[in-house]
Amino acid sequence: MKVLLIGSGGREHAIAWKLAQSPGVSELIIAPGNAGTAELGENVAVAVDDFDGMLELARLRDIDLAIVAPDQPIVDGLCNRFTDVGIKVFGPSAAAARIEGSKVWSDDLMAKYGVPTAESLAFTESRLAIEYGRSRTEGSLVVKADGLAAGKGVLIPETYDDLDAAIVGMLDHAAFGSSSARILLAERLTGPEVSVFAFVDGEFVSSEIATCDYKRVGDADVGLNTGGMGAYGPPEFWTEELAGRVREVILEPVAKALVSENSSFSGMLYAGLMITAEGPKVIEFNCRFGDPETQILMPMLKTDLLDICLAVAEGRLSEQAVEWSDIPHTFVVMVSEGYPGSFETGKIITGVDEASEHGLVIHAGTTRNESGELFTSGGRVLGVAGSGESIRAARDSAYAGVERISFEGARYRHDIAARAVKG
Ligand code: AMP
Ligand code: GLY
């Protein structure tokens, strides 16, 4: 079977790594891919926003299954384009992707179907939003841009002045372009955060898996939000009881709600949750695999990924096994100096082979020159996934790998999974 995987980050390298192990995959094309995916299949330089180019590529190469990994093309309807021309696709329609693409739509859906989430109100006028904000306790609200904002669209102001500034920045000064033309003011929740993933096909929800990711750039969660600095799983606070509750009150009701709203979901559903004193509540839904969580989800997936993706694409997931391992995993991301602000690229990378003796090296922003030397080409450069009998062993392997890799200005967090290590 010929498979086209769309995207170019660490998530896509991890998915390609898993697909390359499927006996059913005869040809794997990654568009546009990175230096890591190039070792597993054929990279083709079509940009993820070039929908005509992607369809042309799929037609020319006689693709049997397209897998769309990044959020933006899904929200913009790339999966619909494949479906429209009769090419099987793993990934939801634009209608179903509103669960990620519009926080206001998603919030309305949760309110209508009783899915637990933060109480929130939508605003388009800063005056009204400020008035509402001032009527609530100082520091008790978060400000969320309605649309996609590369993981940076949530602000958590401590004071009224900062809240006003966040509102004005988003609504009046388009801090996130058209994505912040509408905002939500949501109750600020507290508790451990967890990313829960399940394959969804209409009302059917596969077995789920939970991981934790790290968004801030610095140790101890200081500094700016990033695309993700690391992940680990299973979380130390995750129990069967909690998993059962999350399925019962969040995953299954939302899959049903989407079907009822004529927006049936097909693909990977990612629920970002906070485990509050009142139980699990939704912070956000995403309509795709998480990054960097997928860099451990793929090593933790025991079932053939092609079989699952095909079953989802063909609407028969309920007949397909989905089995996850509970072996502890840790993934640590290495980034360029300056990231998530401005950074330089083109730094030579060494030590990847040595690192591979300790864990799975996953590329994100990497490229090779003609003589095969590896260079940095992005903010998040690469990372190492370690596994072991305990989370401590998994973490030690990941860091042993990271310590073997060098490039000028390399940075990484030192505390990924540290809180999960006992004693
Ligand atoms: P999101 O882009 O929705 O994942 O939000 C980014 C981050 O903002 C989350 O990982 C949380 O840490 C934080 N956040 C979002 N919503 C809330 C909320 N209602 N209360 C507290 N923190 C939140
Ligand atoms: N792990 C955050 C994201 O994928 O959005």
Side-chain angles (χ1 to χ4, degrees):
M1 175 153 285
K2 296 180 186 166
V3 178
L4 169 61
L5 170 63
I6 291 160
S8 64
R11 165 181 53 204
E12 288 76 11
H13 183 192
I15 294 172
W17 171 82
K18 186 69 187 167
L19 285 173
Q21 296 165 37
S22 298
V25 175
S26 60
E27 206 173 315
L28 177 60
I29 297 176
I30 307 97
N34 60 36
T37 64
E39 290 170 18
L40 299 163
E42 180 190 351
N43 284 355
V44 177
V46 178
V48 294
D49 60 355
D50 178 4
F51 288 11
D52 291 338
M54 287 296 177
L55 268 99
E56 179 71 2
L57 172 63
R59 202 183 52 74
L60 275 176
R61 300 296 294 268
D62 207 11
I63 291 299
D64 299 299
L65 175 71
I67 300 176
V68 188
D71 50 7
Q72 192 77 54
I74 296 177
V75 167
D76 292 342
L78 181 54
C79 299
N80 302 62
R81 291 284 304 273
F82 285 114
T83 308
D84 288 348
V85 297
I87 295 174
K88 283 177 196 157
V89 63
F90 177 88
S93 67
R98 287 179 294 177
I99 196 148
E100 172 167 4
S102 169
K103 288 196 152 81
V104 175
W105 191 84
S106 171
D107 196 64
D108 287 348
L109 185 84
M110 286 188 270
K112 183 169 170 187
Y113 292 89
V115 176
T117 184
E119 250 178 67
S120 53
L121 276 180
F123 293 92
T124 50
E125 267 187 60
S126 56
R127 187 180 56 80
L128 297 178
I130 289 170
E131 214 172 275
Y132 172 75
R134 295 262 169 177
S135 76
R136 307 299 297 250
T137 307
E138 193 162 34
S140 70
L141 293 177
V142 306
V143 188
K144 299 188 169 200
D146 180 38
L148 295 182
K152 295 171 189 142
V154 177
L155 298 176
I156 308 184
E158 298 293 341
T159 64
Y160 283 135
D161 286 347
D162 288 347
L163 173 63
D164 295 354
I167 292 169
V168 168
M170 288 207 201
L171 287 177
D172 299 342
H173 301 300
F176 299 99
S178 58
S179 284
S180 65
R182 192 158 61 151
I183 60 167
L184 274 180
L185 294 185
E187 164 204 8
R188 179 169 171 179
L189 303 174
T190 51
E193 258 185 85
V194 59
S195 308
V196 181
F197 296 88
F199 295 95
V200 171
D201 167 18
E203 292 194 1
F204 186 82
V205 179
S206 78
S207 58
E208 72 293 319
I209 183 165
T211 63
C212 291
D213 74 340
Y214 289 78
K215 294 197 170 78
R216 300 293 188 114
V217 72
D219 287 358
D221 283 331
V222 297
L224 294 171
N225 262 325
T226 68
M229 297 295 291
Y232 73 90
E236 67 285 8
F237 53 84
W238 191 248
T239 60
E240 256 177 52
E241 190 193 345
L242 184 55
R245 178 131 191 92
V246 166
R247 283 189 76 80
E248 186 192 339
V249 303
I250 294 169
L251 300 177
E252 288 173 350
V254 87
K256 279 204 178 79
L258 284 160
V259 171
S260 304
E261 295 294 316
N262 217 4
S263 303
S264 178
F265 193 92
S266 165
M268 176 54 109
L269 183 67
Y270 163 170
L273 310 179
M274 214 167 247
I275 312 304
T276 73
E278 294 161 10
K281 292 191 178 182
V282 176
I283 288 178
E284 62 162 355
F285 280 112
N286 294 315
C287 62
R288 51 167 175 88
F289 288 94
D291 191 337
E293 293 96 326
T294 303
Q295 288 83 316
I296 59 170
L297 289 189
M298 292 299 101
M300 293 175 87
L301 179 60
K302 292 203 261 183
T303 314
D304 184 299
L305 179 61
L306 176 67
D307 288 349
I308 300 174
C309 291
L310 256 188
V312 171
E314 293 174 350
R316 49 175 183 80
L317 179 63
S318 61
E319 299 158 16
Q320 170 66 47
V322 175
E323 279 188 73
W324 301 104
S325 147
D326 54 11
I327 295 174
H329 279 72
T330 299
F331 183 68
V332 179
V333 181
M334 302 181 78
V335 303
S336 301
E337 182 176 9
Y339 174 82
S342 59
F343 52 83
E344 290 175 9
T345 58
K347 310 291 183 193
I348 193 156
I349 305 169
T350 58
V352 167
D353 289 345
E354 293 84 341
S356 302
E357 289 167 20
H358 298 277
L360 176 64
V361 178
I362 303 275
H363 294 239
T366 61
T367 183
R368 277 189 204 279
N369 66 10
E370 276 163 16
S371 38
E373 290 166 311
L374 193 63
F375 290 90
T376 66
S377 64
R380 285 192 295 171
V381 176
L382 40 59
V384 182
S387 63
E389 279 180 6
S390 62
I391 194 75
R392 180 195 297 273
R395 177 170 198 273
D396 288 348
S397 306
Y399 278 105
V402 160
E403 282 157 15
R404 300 296 181 283
I405 297 177
S406 310
F407 56 88
E408 190 191 320
R411 297 282 184 273
Y412 57 89
R413 275 183 69 155
H414 301 82
D415 60 348
I416 305 299
R419 66 171 184 242
V421 174
K422 290 189 193 81

